[in-house]
Amino acid sequence: MKAIVWHGKEDVRCDNVPDPKIEDQRNLIIKVTSTAICGSDLHLYDLYVPAMMPGDVLGHEPMGEVVEVGSQVTKFKKGDKVVVPFTIVCGQCWFCQKQFYSCCDTTNRDKEKAAAMMGHAPAGLYGYSHLTGAYQGGQAQYLQVWHADASVVKVPNEIPDEKVLFLSDAFPTGYFAAEQAGIEPGDTVAVWGCGPVGQFAIRSAWMLGAGRVIAIDNVPERLQMARDGKAETVNFEEVTVYDRLQEMTKGRGADRVIDAVGCEAHYAGYIDAVLDKAKTLVGQPVDRAHALREAIMCCRKAGTVSVVGVYANFPDKFPMGAFMNKGLQMRAAQTHMQRLTQPLLDKVLKGEFDPSFVITHRLPIEEGPAAYRTFRDKKDNCIKVVLKPWAN
């Protein structure tokens, strides 16, 4: 089959690789009909996430048609249309029973590596390094889907892929970012990063009762999409974000702040960002955490910082003094996907929300490597790429 394969930093290729085979009778094989490139895939492309190996198949936002079913699968049959959340869960461990699905205790096959860096291992994830189980990803023509009964969501065969594809990650993650921010009616919510997750966080903040949403980015088309979602916008290349937010909130700060950027913040000219970049250029494992630092500084006293941007290493210069003395709370996680996929699918099926608005590029899988570069470099007005593995 054709698949997008990691070969090294800034080196991904469309290769021919062996078709998957069922390795556990709780699993499925799907024919992938649509798959996407996620902003967090760029952290693999740029090698901010360690423990990648040449030959790893990328991708964690797939959906498709069930073509083979393990003997212990009870909820799915051949021909079903399914969306595959990026988190692999068992449904039975203590964390799954508490609905902390991204903390599943059994599905990370390389948990020793992750525990050495993090203290404990998160759940297994598709296509996201040997820190999260070394599972082959979904930017491919076929995918083995693990623990299907516990992990996967069935969707109507007649619904277009693009309306439900982002239930695999970006839509629930944006919603989760807003949910864990603890938004109260009328709150001012500031969102750092206007990529797809940020766009969904903006719209989810409105769903959860925000009175005002302010979006921070520097890419014109992303800022316009945020405005289309009724957010006010701040271009960090034109103003100092802290000063502007102080003006906009009359000195109080945003009630809730969301970091939808993660470990590759691109903030030219700020001294902390310059130092971060210098360290990464000489191979030091330092996340570029300017967005998180700035969000903490801009959050009002006794406010909440919600983090869904991916971090993988050890950010320097964390403003602990501001965090403690302002009485902030921080909530962060990989999204507990299986708690959210069905409720958000219901919103889509009722016509209350259509996530497909973020798509800017639809390409055959052979064009995936070039699409990574375009997406990373923010060229050609690229906000979200959907790959079609079977397109001619």
Side-chain angles (χ1 to χ4, degrees), residues 276-292:
D276 285 345
K277 186 170 184 179
K279 288 185 176 183
T280 63
L281 289 174
V282 296
Q284 294 189 28
V286 176
D287 289 338
R288 284 156 42 175
H290 179 82
L292 178 58

Side-chain angles (χ1 to χ4, degrees), residues 37 67 99 128-129 140 157 170 188 192 221-222 246 260 292 304 344 357 363 372 392:
I37 301 175
V67 295
Q99 296 191 325
Y128 217 78
S129 91
N157 284 343
T188 294
W192 272 256
E221 55 269 22
R222 289 183 173 192
Q246 285 289 94
L292 178 58
T304 303
L344 296 181
F357 73 92
L363 300 168
Y372 264 84
N392 295 323

Side-chain angles (χ1 to χ4, degrees), residues 87-349:
T87 48
I88 303 168
V89 307
C90 71
Q92 298 176 345
C93 70
W94 186 89
F95 293 96
C96 286
Q97 290 296 304
K98 295 287 186 180
Q99 296 191 325
F100 300 138
Y101 290 110
S102 69
C103 301
C104 177
D105 220 16
T106 69
T107 57
N108 191 331
R109 300 182 297 188
D110 278 336
K111 60 174 56 180
E112 292 80 10
K113 290 187 181 72
M117 285 190 65
M118 305 175 197
H120 300 87
L125 309 180
Y126 289 103
Y128 217 78
S129 91
H130 292 249
L131 291 177
T132 58
Y135 290 95
Q136 297 294 279
Q139 290 170 8
Q141 291 182 310
Y142 292 99
L143 174 68
Q144 180 175 199
V145 177
W146 292 75
H147 296 273
D149 283 347
S151 295
V152 180
V153 60
K154 182 179 176 180
V155 299
N157 284 343
E158 62 273 14
I159 194 166
D161 281 14
E162 292 181 358
K163 288 184 178 291
V164 291
L165 173 62
F166 302 128
L167 291 170
S168 59
D169 179 2
F171 180 22
T173 296
Y175 187 91
F176 181 71
E179 181 187 69
Q180 74 174 358
I183 295 168
E184 297 178 357
D187 274 350
T188 294
V189 180
V191 180
W192 272 256
C194 295
V197 169
Q199 299 293 341
F200 289 129
I202 289 165
R203 288 151 178 83
S204 297
W206 293 123
M207 293 181 202
L208 294 171
R212 189 178 188 188
V213 181
I214 303 169
I216 299 103
D217 206 298
N218 70 327
V219 180
E221 55 269 22
R222 289 183 173 192
L223 290 167
Q224 183 57 54
M225 187 176 282
R227 288 190 289 271
D228 292 343
K230 302 181 181 179
E232 301 167 69
T233 58
V234 174
N235 186 330
F236 66 75
E237 289 189 342
E238 297 176 353
V239 297
T240 300
V241 174
Y242 174 82
D243 291 345
R244 182 70 182 115
L245 288 180
Q246 285 289 94
E247 293 173 9
M248 296 173 79
T249 63
K250 295 182 170 56
R252 178 174 170 174
D255 299 297
R256 319 290 169 178
V257 299
I258 294 171
D259 173 6
V261 178
C263 64
E264 285 191 84
H266 297 282
Y267 276 61
Y270 290 81
I271 186 62
D272 65 316
V274 171
L275 291 172
D276 285 345
K277 186 170 184 179
K279 288 185 176 183
T280 63
L281 289 174
V282 296
Q284 294 189 28
V286 176
D287 289 338
R288 284 156 42 175
H290 179 82
L292 178 58
R293 299 183 195 110
E294 189 169 75
I296 289 169
M297 298 300 290
C298 293
C299 189
R300 70 149 162 88
K301 291 177 287 188
T304 303
V305 181
S306 173
V307 183
V308 293
V310 170
Y311 289 88
N313 290 296
F314 301 91
D316 285 347
K317 301 172 291 298
F318 185 84
M320 192 66 202
F323 185 79
M324 182 270 173
N325 286 289
K326 289 169 66 173
L328 304 183
Q329 59 178 324
M330 181 184 293
R331 300 185 67 189
Q334 297 282 5
T335 307
H336 302 308
M337 292 289 295
Q338 286 74 12
R339 181 171 60 79
L340 295 173
T341 46
Q342 190 60 52
L344 296 181
L345 172 61
D346 291 343
K347 286 184 178 291
V348 174
L349 296 180

